[in-house]
Amino acid sequence: MIYELLAAFAAALLVAWIVGRILVPKLRAIKAGQMIRTDGPTWHMSKQGTPTMGGLIFVAALVVVCLTVGLPAMLRGDFSALFVLAFSLVFGAIGFLDDYEKLKKKQNLGLTAPQKFFIQLAAAIAFILLLRLTGHLSPNVYVPFFDVSFKLPEVVYFVFTAFVIVGCVNSVNITDGIDGLAAGVSVPVAICYAAVAFVWAKESLGIFAAALAGGLCGFLIFNFHPARIFMGDTGSLFLGGAVCALALAMDMPLILITLGIVYIIETLSDIIQVAYFKLTHGKRIFKMAPLHHHLEMCGWSEYKIFFVFTGISAVFAVISYLGVFERYLI
């Protein structure tokens, strides 16, 4: 199985590089440039016009690898990676519509928040039903590090997992705020999933996770600072969907607490900022939210934020692996 995982990583990296070489100039030619938020750091305005929808680079890599390297597993009846891919593509499609609306309106506003929420919620419920019906997900909540499970009522578990999905997807979206950050933070996450799939003998999911890591590395060739392309909501929502779908398909949603620690910190900084602003009628805790923008305002370079946050993600990926790898070992 290790050879399949390495092949998936290498193939996705290669496909992402090839697609990126083609896509970046094409998007520049049609002027599919990102509109920069006026309420963000002022120096980000220099990035105005950088092509968006770059998430298509690693989306293409995942599709190709799942249908090639992952084909033998599917022929043996293991369609788990296909389920995860389909779910991620639904969220990627939501992001694509959002990006398209932004480009059409020439502003940094796409679908409304209620529109995105209800579409995401519907997709989450459909995915949970699919996993339950195919036996990939149980109403037993596995607790990492303690190697115990407890059962929740079916309805409660549905609400819980739907909340996890929508929250996780939007947390990844919030993390995508500077060059390479969301992709860099997510590479250790994907590698952790691949390592867990290896020891648990979940070949199909391992191939997907390894391909996700490879696709993101290929994408970073074009997205690392200074970025030649942004992933856009097309990429960040697909990525968020993939991250939480893998946790659910492996029946360990609580692992996202440690594995997704950077996403959680970024989101909490945003929530705290907004809540404190409203409670104090205009005062702020952070110079700017989410946290990566606060650190920028404190003088951190995009390079430093990328490497520190990615390093934190890598450390917690190792911790997360240690917390679950013994689950199915005899």
Side-chain angles (χ1 to χ4, degrees):
M1 182 176 167
I2 188 66
Y3 298 109
E4 286 83 356
L5 298 186
L6 292 174
F9 179 90
L13 176 60
L14 179 61
V15 172
W17 177 73
I18 293 171
V19 173
R21 290 288 298 269
I22 297 170
L23 188 64
V24 172
K26 289 288 185 183
L27 289 175
R28 283 193 177 278
I30 64 173
K31 301 186 185 304
Q34 174 76 47
M35 303 301 295
I36 304 300
R37 290 175 53 182
T38 55
D39 58 346
T42 54
W43 53 89
H44 279 205
M45 294 307 295
S46 62
K47 302 180 181 186
Q48 185 99 338
T50 301
T52 188
M53 295 188 185
L56 292 170
I57 292 172
F58 54 85
V59 171
L62 263 293
V63 171
V64 170
V65 172
C66 284
L67 297 179
T68 53
V69 182
L71 184 59
M74 284 191 281
L75 292 176
R76 291 193 295 271
D78 185 356
F79 297 100
S80 52
L82 203 58
F83 296 157
V84 173
L85 176 63
F87 176 75
S88 303
L89 286 172
V90 169
F91 276 84
I94 297 169
F96 182 86
L97 289 174
D98 201 32
D99 285 335
Y100 178 77
E101 285 295 311
K102 291 174 184 176
L103 291 172
K104 187 172 70 172
K105 296 175 182 177
K106 298 296 182 184
Q107 58 183 1
N108 197 266
L109 293 171
L111 298 174
T112 64
Q115 285 175 330
K116 284 193 283 189
F117 174 77
F118 285 113
I119 296 172
Q120 289 174 3
L121 186 61
I125 292 171
F127 181 63
I128 295 165
L129 279 171
L130 179 63
L131 292 181
R132 286 290 288 122
L133 292 172
T134 55
H136 288 88
L137 187 65
S138 73
N140 300 316
V141 180
Y142 175 72
V143 183
F145 304 100
F146 297 95
D147 198 27
V148 297
S149 298
F150 62 92
K151 189 171 184 176
L152 289 176
E154 196 83 17
V155 174
V156 175
Y157 193 71
F158 261 79
V159 173
F160 164 69
T161 48
F163 172 79
V164 168
I165 289 173
V166 175
C168 175
V169 169
N170 287 287
S171 293
V172 176
N173 183 246
I174 288 171
T175 305
D176 180 36
I178 64 172
D179 296 354
L181 186 60
V185 164
S186 299
V187 169
V189 173
I191 292 173
C192 177
Y193 280 131
V196 173
F198 175 73
V199 296
W200 288 4
K202 294 181 177 288
E203 180 182 350
S204 187
L205 292 174
I207 287 170
F208 183 94
L212 180 61
L216 289 172
C217 287
F219 174 67
L220 279 169
I221 296 172
F222 309 95
N223 184 237
F224 188 70
H225 186 69
R228 287 181 278 166
I229 194 168
F230 299 141
M231 69 167 63
D233 282 357
T234 304
S236 63
L237 294 187
F238 176 93
L239 181 56
V243 167
C244 65
L246 281 166
L248 288 172
M250 292 183 178
D251 202 14
M252 53 173 191
L254 292 184
I255 198 60
L256 290 168
I257 296 173
T258 52
L259 189 55
I261 188 67
V262 174
Y263 311 137
I264 292 171
I265 291 171
E266 288 274 75
T267 303
L268 284 176
S269 69
D270 214 26
I271 293 171
I272 291 168
Q273 181 84 326
V274 172
Y276 189 76
F277 184 87
K278 289 181 178 179
L279 288 172
T280 60
H281 305 289
K283 294 182 180 180
R284 293 175 171 84
I285 291 179
F286 303 104
K287 293 183 178 180
M288 187 175 291
L291 182 61
H292 56 258
H293 284 328
H294 170 77
L295 295 174
E296 279 190 284
M297 299 291 284
C298 291
W300 285 37
S301 68
E302 292 194 43
Y303 291 109
K304 183 176 180 178
I305 296 170
F306 173 89
F307 285 112
V308 170
F309 279 39
T310 300
I312 293 171
S313 181
V315 169
F316 276 87
V318 173
I319 292 171
S320 300
Y321 172 79
L322 294 175
V324 300
F325 84 100
E326 290 185 328
R327 183 181 185 182
Y328 294 118
L329 296 182
I330 299 176

